[in-house]
C-alpha cells in the first residue's frame, strides 16, 4: 500500500444538520449539528462524544452520505468542494461489519478490487494489490478461511473488522472513514485495530473515525480530536493539547484518570470525576475558577471562528466553488459490475433447488401416475394441474428473502461506490430466476408431465412448460416487489402470503366466479392462479 503522502485535508465550515421529528404529536425541527467548523489533516482524527452527540452524523456529512436538503455549511476536500461521487474515491467502514460471510477473506477483498480498481489494471496487478492488503492487515494465515455466517463457522471479530477495513483500503483511498471501529471488540483486539489505523495514518492517509469512550492506550494514538456535545463543538485540535485546554478553562483531570473518561464527565456535567477547587492534582497551586454562566461549547466558539477564518483565507478556490467541482464515475461498466455480483452468490443453492424439484416431481408423478382416459382420470388430471400450479406460486415464497437478507451489504456497497443499483438488481434477478426457477422447473415438467399421462405431444408439453414458467415468474415478480419494499422477513412473508391466498380462492376452482358479487369479482383479473388454470382446457381437451 506504499508510503506515499497522499492523504487529503478535509475542512468543514459552519456545518448544521437538521431533521424533522415528532415531539408530543407535533413535527419539529431538531438540530443534530449546530454550526460547527474544523479541519482534518492526514493522520488519525478521532470524533468523540457521548451517545446522541452527533458523532456519526458529522462522520456521514464529511463522507458525503447525508441528505443535502437537511444540511447547511460547506465541506472542502483539499480546498475544493466535495466531488459528486466522493464515495468512489474515499473509504467508509460501517459500525456493523457487512462482509459476505459465505466468501473467504481473500475472495471478499478480490470482489472489492475487481469492482473498484481502474479497469486498466491487469488481473495480475489486482491480485498483487489484494495480497499486499492481506499482508498489511496481518491476515495471511486466515486469508483463505470463510468470514462466517450464523450457519458457517468463520474468523474472529477482529479479523472480520480488519477484513471490512481491507475492502476499503483496496483502492488506496486518500480518506478513510470508520464508524465506531472498536464496537463489539475486546480491549486487546480494539487496540490492535486502532494501531493498524495509526500505521495507515503514518503512511499519509487521512483516517477519520467516531469512537465513544476509548481507553488510554488507544487515546494516545490519536493525532487530532473533536469533542461533541449535543451537536456543539467542545474541542477541536491536537489530542495531546486537550488536557491543557480544559485545564485553562477551569477543568482539571485528576491523576490516574483516563482522559476520554474525563472528557465525557465534563461534557455530561458529571463533577464526580473533575477535581475540586482546592487545587490542581499533584500541585499546590489554586485551580482557576471556572467561568460562570458559560457552557463548555460556548467557551470554544471564539477559538473555532478564528480557526475557520484562517482556513477560508488559505483556500483560494473556495471563493469560486463551481469551478472546483470534480465529477467522478464508477470504475467498471454496468455489464462488468453485474457479472461480478452474480459470481458472489451461493453456488450450492441452485443444486439444492434442482434436487428438491426433481424429488417433488417424482412424488407428484407417483401420486397421479399414468391416469386413465375415464372421468376419474380427467378429475385427477385437473386436480394434479391445480396442485402443480399452486406449488409453482407458493414455491416462490423463498424469493422474498432475496433482497432482505443482503440489504445491509447492498446499502453499504452501493453507498461506497462499488456498483450501481441497477447492476445489483439485474445480477440478483438473473442469479435467482435462471438457476433457481427456470432450470428446476424445466426438469420438474419433463418428469411430471409424462408420469401423470398428459397427451404425448411436443406442442402440448411446451404449453405445459411455458405455463409453469410464466406462473413462476409472475409469482416471483410479486415476491421481489415485496422483498425490495420492506426490511423485515416476517412482515414480507405476511404481505406476500395474503395475496397468494386470495388469488388461489379466485382461481375458478375453489369457488364459482359467477356467483361472486361484483364488488369482489374484479380480483379474478389479478389472480395468477386463474390465468394458469385456464390453460388446462388446452392440455386436457384431447386427453380423454
Amino acid at each position: 500500500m506504499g508510503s506515499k503522502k497522499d492523504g487529503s485535508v478535509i475542512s468543514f465550515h459552519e456545518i448544521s444538520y437538521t431533521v424533522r421529528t415528532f415531539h408530543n404529536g407535533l413535527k419539529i425541527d431538531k438540530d443534530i449539528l449546530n454550526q460547527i467548523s474544523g479541519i482534518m489533516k492526514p493522520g488519525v482524527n478521532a470524533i468523540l462524544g457521548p451517545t446522541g452527540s452527533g458523532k456519526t452524523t458529522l462522520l456521514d456529512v464529511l463522507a458525503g452520505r447525508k441528505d443535502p436538503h437537511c444540511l447547511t455549511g460547506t465541506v472542502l476536500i483539499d480546498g475544493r468542494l466535495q466531488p459528486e461521487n466522493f464515495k468512489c474515491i474515499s473509504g467508509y467502514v460501517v459500525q456493523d461489519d457487512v462482509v459476505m460471510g459465505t466468501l473467504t477473506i481473500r475472495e471478499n477483498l478480490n470482489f472489492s478490487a475487481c469492482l473498484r480498481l481502474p479497469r486498466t489494471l491487469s488481473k495480475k496487478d489486482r491480485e498483487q494489490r489484494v495480497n499486499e492488503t492481506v499482508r498489511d492487515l496481518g491476515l495471511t494465515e486466515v486469508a483463505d478461511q470463510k468470514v462466517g455466517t450464523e450457519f458457517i463457522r468463520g474468523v474472529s471479530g477482529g479479523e472480520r473488522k480488519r477484513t471490512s477495513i481491507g475492502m476499503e483500503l483496496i483502492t488506496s483511498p486518500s480518506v478513510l472513514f470508520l464508524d465506531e471501529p472498536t464496537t463489539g471488540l475486546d480491549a486487546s483486539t480494539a487496540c490492535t485495530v486502532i494501531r493498524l489505523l495509526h500505521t495507515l495514518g503514518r503512511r499519509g492517509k487521512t483516517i477519520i473515525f467516531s469512537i465513544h469512550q476509548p481507553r488510554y492506550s488507544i487515546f494516545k494514538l490519536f493525532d487530532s480530536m473533536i469533542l461533541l456535545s449535543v451537536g456543539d463543538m467542545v474541542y477541536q485540535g491536537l489530542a495531546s493539547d486537550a488536557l491543557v485546554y480544559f485545564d485553562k478553562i477551569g477543568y482539571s483531570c485528576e491523576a490516574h484518570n483516563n482522559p476520554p473518561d474525563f472528557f465525557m464527565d465534563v461534557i455530561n456535567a458529571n463533577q464526580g470525576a473533575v477535581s475540586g477547587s482546592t487545587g490542581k492534582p499533584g500541585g499546590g497551586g489554586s485551580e482557576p475558577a471556572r467561568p460562570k454562566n458559560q457552557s463548555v461549547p460556548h467557551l470554544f466558539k471564539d477559538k473555532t471562528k478564528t480557526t475557520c477564518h484562517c482556513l477560508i483565507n488559505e483556500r483560494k478556490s473556495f471563493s469560486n466553488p463551481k469551478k472546483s467541482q470534480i465529477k467522478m464515475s464508477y470504475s467498471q461498466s454496468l455489464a462488468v459490475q453485474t457479472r461480478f455480483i452474480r459470481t458472489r452468490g451461493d453456488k450450492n443453492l441452485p443444486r439444492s433447488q434442482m434436487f428438491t424439484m426433481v424429488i417433488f416431481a417424482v412424488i407428484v408423478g407417483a401420486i397421479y401416475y399414468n391416469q386413465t382416459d375415464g372421468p376419474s382420470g380427467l378429475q385427477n388430471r385437473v386436480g394434479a394441474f391445480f396442485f402443480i400450479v399452486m406449488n409453482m406460486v407458493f414455491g416462490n415464497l423463498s424469493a422474498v428473502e432475496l433482497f432482505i437478507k443482503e440489504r445491509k451489504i447492498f446499502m453499504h456497497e452501493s453507498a461506497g461506490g462499488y456498483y450501481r443499483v441497477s447492476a445489483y438488481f439485474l445480477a440478483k434477478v438473473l442469479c435467482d430466476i435462471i438457476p433457481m426457477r427456470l432450470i428446476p422447473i424445466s426438469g420438474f415438467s419433463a418428469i411430471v408431465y409424462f408420469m401423470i399421462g398428459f397427451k404425448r405431444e411436443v406442442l402440448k408439453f411446451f404449453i405445459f412448460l411455458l405455463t409453469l414458467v410464466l406462473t413462476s415468474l409472475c409469482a416471483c415478480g410479486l415476491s421481489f416487489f415485496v422483498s425490495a419494499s420492506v426490511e423485515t422477513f416476517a412482515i414480507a412473508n405476511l404481505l406476500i402470503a395474503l395475496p397468494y391466498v386470495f388469488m388461489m380462492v379466485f382461481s375458478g376452482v375453489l369457488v364459482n366466479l359467477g356467483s361472486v358479487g361484483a364488488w369482489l369479482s374484479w380480483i379474478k383479473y389479478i389472480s395468477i392462479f386463474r390465468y394458469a388454470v385456464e390453460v388446462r382446457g388446452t392440455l386436457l381437451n384431447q386427453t380423454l
Side-chain angles (χ1 to χ4, degrees):
M1 292 166 6
S3 59
K4 183 182 177 181
K5 299 292 182 181
D6 57 354
S8 296
V9 176
I10 297 183
S11 58
F12 50 100
H13 311 266
E14 301 294 326
I15 293 295
S16 294
Y17 190 78
T18 306
V19 296
R20 300 299 299 273
T21 184
F22 284 93
H23 181 70
N24 295 329
L26 299 175
K27 280 187 177 181
I28 61 171
D29 291 332
K30 182 179 180 181
D31 294 328
I32 307 300
L33 297 175
N34 183 24
Q35 292 189 334
I36 62 175
S37 304
I39 187 170
M40 303 283 199
K41 298 180 180 180
V44 178
N45 303 270
I47 304 174
L48 280 75
T51 302
S53 60
K55 301 188 300 296
T56 300
T57 300
L58 175 58
L59 192 75
D60 289 343
V61 168
L62 298 181
R65 294 189 173 213
K66 280 297 184 184
D67 184 1
H69 297 95
C70 303
L71 179 67
T72 60
T74 307
V75 179
L76 302 180
I77 312 296
D78 291 327
R80 296 183 174 185
L81 292 179
Q82 281 180 326
E84 291 183 3
N85 271 359
F86 180 60
K87 62 186 180 181
C88 294
I89 58 173
S90 62
Y92 192 105
V93 180
V94 295
Q95 182 174 345
D96 298 323
D97 302 318
V98 284
V99 291
M100 188 64 73
T102 56
L103 301 181
T104 66
I105 291 177
R106 192 183 303 278
E107 287 171 341
N108 274 294
L109 296 179
N110 187 62
F111 176 78
S112 179
C114 290
L115 288 178
R116 305 181 75 188
L117 291 178
R119 65 186 70 182
T120 55
L121 212 61
S122 66
K123 182 178 180 181
K124 184 178 180 180
D125 291 335
R126 287 199 302 266
E127 290 177 353
Q128 183 179 354
R129 182 73 64 86
V130 170
N131 292 333
E132 289 176 357
T133 304
V134 168
R135 184 179 63 252
D136 291 339
L137 294 174
L139 297 172
T140 304
E141 294 184 0
V142 294
D144 296 312
Q145 290 185 20
K146 289 188 176 181
V147 174
T149 64
E150 62 271 25
F151 304 111
I152 303 174
R153 183 178 178 85
V155 298
S156 67
E159 291 163 344
R160 189 183 183 95
K161 176 65 70 176
R162 279 180 279 167
T163 302
S164 297
I165 296 173
M167 292 187 70
E168 303 303 317
L169 291 178
I170 282 290
T171 59
S172 295
S174 59
V175 185
L176 178 63
F177 299 95
L178 303 99
D179 185 16
E180 300 276 2
T182 59
T183 298
L185 304 178
D186 60 79
S188 177
T189 305
C191 196
T192 301
V193 170
I194 300 300
R195 282 199 194 100
L196 169 65
L197 300 178
H198 182 262
T199 301
L200 295 172
R202 289 295 170 268
R203 294 179 180 179
K205 302 293 183 185
T206 302
I207 309 297
I208 305 173
F209 60 87
S210 61
I211 193 167
H212 183 62
Q213 210 162 340
R215 68 181 193 176
Y216 180 71
S217 59
I218 291 178
F219 169 75
K220 67 181 183 180
L221 298 175
F222 299 166
D223 292 317
S224 73
M225 179 180 69
I226 287 179
L227 288 176
L228 295 178
S229 173
V230 197
D232 288 316
M233 186 84 78
V234 175
Y235 175 80
Q236 199 270 325
L238 295 176
S240 57
D241 294 342
L243 289 176
V244 176
Y245 168 76
F246 277 97
D247 185 69
K248 287 181 178 179
I249 65 173
Y251 295 92
S252 297
C253 181
E254 292 181 343
H256 310 299
N257 191 6
N258 181 26
D261 293 337
F262 164 72
F263 299 144
M264 294 303 106
D265 290 332
V266 174
I267 292 173
N268 292 320
N270 179 2
Q271 301 302 314
V274 181
S275 62
S277 60
T278 58
K280 296 180 182 180
S286 61
E287 181 183 344
R290 289 189 292 272
K292 296 181 180 180
N293 301 324
Q294 284 187 316
S295 64
V296 179
H298 181 77
L299 293 171
F300 193 71
K301 278 186 182 286
D302 292 339
K303 180 180 178 182
T304 304
K305 288 180 180 178
T306 303
T307 304
C308 286
H309 286 309
C310 293
L311 290 174
I312 293 175
N313 291 333
E314 290 175 3
R315 303 297 177 232
K316 302 295 183 181
S317 60
F318 182 65
S319 60
N320 193 355
K322 290 185 178 180
K323 292 184 179 180
S324 65
Q325 191 70 281
I326 303 173
K327 292 185 178 181
M328 296 293 169
S329 60
Y330 290 95
S331 298
Q332 303 294 343
S333 65
L334 176 66
V336 173
Q337 290 176 356
T338 304
R339 177 167 61 88
F340 278 110
I341 298 172
R342 284 184 61 191
T343 59
R344 196 171 61 165
D346 190 344
K347 299 177 178 61
N348 293 323
L349 280 179
R351 300 170 190 168
S352 301
Q353 180 75 356
M354 187 67 188
F355 177 77
T356 303
M357 290 295 280
V358 169
I359 295 298
F360 183 72
V362 172
I363 293 174
V364 173
I367 295 173
Y368 296 98
Y369 181 71
N370 200 20
Q371 294 297 313
T372 61
D373 293 338
S376 61
L378 177 60
Q379 181 183 3
N380 287 339
R381 289 192 190 93
V382 171
F385 188 72
F386 180 76
F387 179 70
I388 291 170
V389 169
M390 185 175 65
N391 175 71
M392 290 298 107
V393 174
F394 283 95
N396 286 284
L397 284 173
S398 60
V400 173
E401 66 178 12
L402 181 66
F403 298 113
I404 294 177
K405 189 168 62 174
E406 296 181 9
R407 181 178 292 270
K408 287 185 178 179
I409 294 178
F410 161 73
M411 296 293 289
H412 167 62
E413 293 178 345
S414 176
Y418 283 68
Y419 44 71
R420 300 168 177 83
V421 176
S422 54
Y424 180 84
F425 181 80
L426 285 174
K428 284 303 173 183
V429 169
L430 292 175
C431 282
D432 188 88
I433 287 180
I434 296 176
M436 298 288 290
R437 317 292 165 189
L438 300 186
I439 296 177
I441 289 174
S442 299
F444 175 87
S445 301
I447 295 173
V448 79
Y449 184 88
F450 297 103
M451 286 188 69
I452 292 177
F454 289 112
K455 193 167 184 64
R456 296 178 180 272
E457 292 183 9
V458 175
L459 178 61
K460 289 188 179 292
F461 169 74
F462 279 108
I463 292 175
F464 178 81
L465 173 60
L466 182 61
T467 301
L468 298 190
V469 167
L470 294 179
T471 300
S472 182
L473 290 181
C474 289
C476 216
L478 187 58
S479 296
F480 288 160
F481 171 76
V482 173
S483 179
S485 303
V486 300
E487 299 181 8
T488 308
F489 185 67
I491 296 177
N493 260 338
L494 179 64
L495 291 178
I496 196 64
L498 285 176
Y500 282 174
V501 170
F502 278 103
M503 288 179 182
M504 182 175 64
V505 171
F506 285 85
S507 63
V509 174
L510 303 180
V511 64
N512 191 316
L513 298 179
S515 64
V516 178
W519 64 283
L520 274 179
S521 61
W522 59 270
I523 299 180
K524 66 183 179 181
Y525 295 109
I526 60 172
S527 172
I528 300 173
F529 288 87
R530 171 175 168 265
Y531 292 107
V533 167
E534 286 185 350
V535 182
R536 66 185 178 185
T538 304
L539 295 175
L540 304 178
N541 187 34
Q542 298 179 9
T543 323
L544 296 177

